[in-house]
Amino acid sequence: FSGIAATFGEICRTMKSTHSTAQEGNGEQEEDLFASSFGKTILNELGPNIHLIAKLIPQLKSFIPVEENNMSGKDENYAFEVGPERGRYAFRVLARVLSSYISPMVLFFDDLQWADVSSLEVIDYLITDSNNPNPLMIIGCFRSNEVDNMHILKTKIDHFDKEKEKFMFNLTNIELESFQQVD
């Protein structure tokens, strides 16, 4: 999940810094209200999975109330022992929460030819989340010369193509020719 976790971590870091640069006067109060509201929403939606996702995305800890932020009682390998289904579900719920604050939310994943199976499964969970009422766009790029018909990414793209009508999402393939530097 490392690439997916890094992307969501960057979104959380950006949200925190955006609200940290609040205007003078009531700026600090606005930041505290946002962090409190966002943190409570994450806690309510993720429940006990908050510890799982906070292990994977440390930037979330700045939004979580102090009493819930104590991870010392959790095993270091907790995130990997709970099973991949629970991890994918936690990312799906986090995407719902984030897309309710950032709308429309656009996620960009580059170099998908190197993605692991778990990361591709998370992307699948995000794309097929018909319960997310908020707009979400996922853009994925890969080097087509490194992806043959047996590659896991090609298998996943074929799966997306079959599922697009069932889950009502668009799948667009844009091919670019090789770039050459012009003097």
Side-chain angles (χ1 to χ4, degrees):
F1 300 128
S2 64
I4 305 291
T7 298
F8 280 101
E10 185 61 26
I11 291 169
C12 291
R13 188 196 63 73
T14 301
M15 288 176 69
K16 184 70 172 173
S17 68
T18 299
H19 289 279
S20 292
T21 57
Q23 300 169 352
E24 290 184 29
N26 65 349
E28 192 172 310
Q29 188 178 12
E30 281 181 25
E31 177 187 350
D32 291 343
L33 287 173
F34 171 79
S36 175
S37 169
F38 184 65
K40 285 177 185 175
T41 303
I42 290 173
L43 264 174
N44 288 339
E45 295 297 321
L46 284 169
N49 291 322
I50 190 69
H51 298 289
L52 163 68
I53 205 78
K55 284 278 191 185
L56 296 170
I57 307 170
Q59 295 87 343
L60 276 175
K61 292 179 183 178
S62 64
F63 295 106
I64 302 169
V66 175
E67 61 274 7
E68 292 292 332
N69 208 346
N70 183 3
M71 301 291 178
S72 61
K74 297 291 179 186
D75 181 24
E76 286 299 311
N77 294 317
Y78 176 74
F80 305 101
E81 293 175 355
V82 295
E85 181 75 21
R86 193 162 161 198
R88 289 188 297 262
Y89 179 75
F91 277 110
R92 177 183 267 183
V93 172
L94 180 60
R96 287 179 192 163
V97 172
L98 287 170
S99 65
S100 71
Y101 283 85
I102 304 168
S103 186
M105 186 163 82
V106 179
L107 300 176
F108 177 81
F109 299 107
D110 196 11
D111 290 327
L112 285 175
Q113 73 275 7
W114 296 324
D116 58 36
V117 174
S118 297
S119 295
L120 293 174
E121 288 297 318
V122 170
I123 293 171
D124 189 345
Y125 257 54
L126 299 178
I127 289 173
T128 59
D129 185 6
S130 55
N131 290 325
N132 187 352
N134 306 301
L136 172 65
M137 175 185 272
I138 297 177
I139 301 170
C141 294
F142 64 94
R143 298 176 189 175
S144 58
N145 63 329
E146 294 184 27
V147 177
D148 61 19
N149 287 336
M150 301 304 291
H151 195 281
I152 59 171
L153 180 58
K154 174 67 171 137
T155 305
K156 186 54 74 177
I157 290 170
D158 291 344
H159 168 74
F160 291 151
D161 196 43
K162 292 175 186 169
E163 297 289 311
K164 66 184 178 188
E165 289 185 28
K166 178 180 177 184
F167 291 101
M168 297 181 291
F169 63 85
N170 295 319
L171 184 65
T172 304
N173 184 26
I174 301 172
E175 292 186 32
L176 301 175
E177 297 298 320
S178 295
F179 291 104
Q180 295 179 3
Q181 184 174 354
V182 179
D183 292 326

